[in-house]
Amino acid sequence: MSFKFYMKPLLLLFFITLVAFSCKKDVALVQNIAKINTDIQIERFDMLFANVTSGKLSDLKTAYPFMFSEKYPDSFWLAKKADTLQVQLFNEVENTFSNFEDTENEIESLFNHLKYYFPEFNPPRIITTTNDVDFRNRVIVTDTIVVIALDSYLGSNHEFYGGIANFLKANLNKEQVVVDLANEYAKKHTYHPNRKTLLDEMIYFGKLLYFKDIIIPFKTEVSRIGYNKDELEWVKANESYIWRYFVSRELLFSTDSKLPSRFINPAPFSKFYLEEIDTKSPGRIGQYIGWQIVRAYMNQNDISLKDMLIKSTEDIFNNSKFKPRK
């Protein structure tokens, strides 16, 4: 028998062993993270405020002083609580979040992952509220407190969001609460100063997205980047074209201030200035490509998540050996 005849079974055996080892490692990782068990408690301030009486308002203010501005008297808060639109807001939040168990479990899993990768992390208080559909500030994270405005997660088709652009309200749903929370923690842990070029912006947002790969692996890619399924399939299918466009037009190292609005910032579509592409592409394509570069870098280098988050654009790009999918 030839040497080649023996090689095929040997290679197959090696591959099976490698896969088995990898699976075993993944299972061990999941088990170790689950053992952390941060066991969080959700404080439903929105419900407490919706049901507060004049006799109990002072107690609520004592328990949550940071939720009440001192420049307003008690009469202001009682009038706000009884306002017709505010009552409707409370009712809609209660209908959507009558069962908070799934969201609470996802936040707990997020915190377990944070504690595993960042041992210094201490779970904060989690407080839910409403903020008059100020969707741009729907999650606030500090070292000791997290505030989540539930009226920004009632579902993208909710009547309260009628005046909001489709690409902005697409992710105003219950399933994105933990994704937005993870994104805020990604920003807290990511060091990436001097974002001057398009590539700087791409790598920065690529870091945030990779952070979510690791910290909320139980959420889909679609959820992590905030695309719908068709949008994600489009960018994957056109990844090679997008990369050639950036390279051929020398955009990667350009400091043109218009580039972030074309390829990084939330928008209904990315702006290639090509009619056949612009109407089909989703916004934030630069973020997506940056995500793939960071993924390639992590595949090529033995480095921790924490250390990657402080690496420079040049280090990540030059050592990623990134090649777009074809």
Side-chain angles (χ1 to χ4, degrees), residues 70-261:
E70 293 183 358
K71 68 179 181 180
Y72 296 115
D74 287 0
S75 58
F76 169 85
W77 299 111
L78 291 170
K80 178 179 176 67
K81 172 250 178 180
D83 178 76
T84 304
L85 289 176
Q86 195 68 41
V87 170
Q88 186 182 357
L89 200 65
F90 291 145
N91 290 338
E92 292 299 313
V93 167
E94 186 176 0
N95 288 338
T96 303
F97 291 93
S98 58
N99 183 346
F100 210 81
E101 186 176 349
D102 289 345
T103 304
E104 184 172 341
N105 287 339
E106 288 192 338
I107 294 174
E108 187 169 296
S109 184
L110 160 66
F111 284 177
N112 289 344
H113 283 77
L114 280 172
K115 187 70 175 176
Y116 180 84
Y117 289 101
F118 302 89
E120 68 278 10
F121 170 73
N122 290 311
R125 293 172 65 184
I126 308 292
I127 300 168
T128 63
T129 188
T130 60
N131 69 350
D132 300 321
V133 194
D134 180 10
F135 67 93
R136 296 183 188 279
N137 296 292
R138 53 190 183 266
V139 174
I140 297 172
V141 172
T142 72
D143 290 339
T144 56
I145 294 173
V146 164
V147 179
I148 303 170
L150 297 183
D151 52 337
S152 288
Y153 296 100
L154 300 177
S156 57
N157 294 320
H158 197 279
E159 61 180 310
F160 288 171
Y161 309 150
I164 302 174
N166 288 339
F167 73 93
L168 292 174
K169 66 183 181 182
N171 291 299
L172 301 185
N173 58 70
K174 187 176 182 179
E175 291 72 27
Q176 290 298 114
V177 171
V178 75
V179 178
D180 289 345
L181 186 52
N183 198 63
E184 292 304 308
Y185 277 106
K187 289 189 283 188
K188 283 175 68 68
H189 284 93
T190 299
Y191 179 74
H192 207 87
N194 304 319
R195 285 154 52 193
K196 297 178 181 179
T197 68
L198 177 62
L199 186 60
D200 287 332
E201 293 287 347
M202 290 164 60
I203 298 298
Y204 170 72
F205 283 98
K207 286 181 177 182
L208 303 188
L209 286 160
Y210 187 83
F211 182 97
K212 287 186 280 188
D213 281 343
I214 301 302
I215 300 299
I216 50 171
F218 49 88
K219 300 300 282 188
T220 63
E221 282 188 318
V222 166
S223 296
R224 284 176 234 155
I225 192 170
Y227 282 165
N228 61 42
K229 186 178 178 182
D230 290 340
E231 288 172 334
L232 185 59
E233 287 179 354
W234 190 94
V235 292
K236 285 183 176 181
N238 290 278
E239 192 175 301
S240 182
Y241 173 83
I242 297 165
W243 183 246
R244 288 200 309 273
Y245 181 93
F246 286 165
V247 171
S248 65
R249 286 163 176 77
E250 301 182 347
L251 300 183
L252 294 178
F253 300 100
S254 172
T255 57
D256 184 347
S257 61
K258 295 178 182 177
L259 290 175
S261 65

Side-chain angles (χ1 to χ4, degrees), residues 34-98:
K35 287 177 185 175
I36 294 172
N37 190 21
T38 51
D39 191 26
I40 63 170
Q41 299 294 321
I42 305 293
E43 301 177 45
R44 292 297 301 270
F45 174 81
D46 56 298
M47 296 178 69
L48 295 173
F49 183 63
N51 295 295
V52 75
T53 62
S54 58
K56 293 292 184 179
L57 180 60
S58 60
D59 292 340
L60 191 62
K61 290 173 70 175
T62 299
Y64 297 92
F66 44 85
M67 301 298 285
F68 297 91
S69 172
E70 293 183 358
K71 68 179 181 180
Y72 296 115
D74 287 0
S75 58
F76 169 85
W77 299 111
L78 291 170
K80 178 179 176 67
K81 172 250 178 180
D83 178 76
T84 304
L85 289 176
Q86 195 68 41
V87 170
Q88 186 182 357
L89 200 65
F90 291 145
N91 290 338
E92 292 299 313
V93 167
E94 186 176 0
N95 288 338
T96 303
F97 291 93
S98 58

Side-chain angles (χ1 to χ4, degrees), residues 277-296:
I277 296 295
D278 283 355
T279 55
K280 297 177 183 177
S281 67
R284 299 180 288 116
I285 271 178
Q287 291 191 28
Y288 170 83
I289 297 295
W291 189 15
Q292 307 318 306
I293 294 172
V294 173
R295 281 176 164 178

Side-chain angles (χ1 to χ4, degrees), residues 2-14:
S2 69
F3 176 71
K4 192 179 290 186
F5 179 83
Y6 286 106
M7 280 298 292
K8 287 185 179 180
L10 286 173
L11 286 172
L12 181 60
L13 179 62
F14 173 76

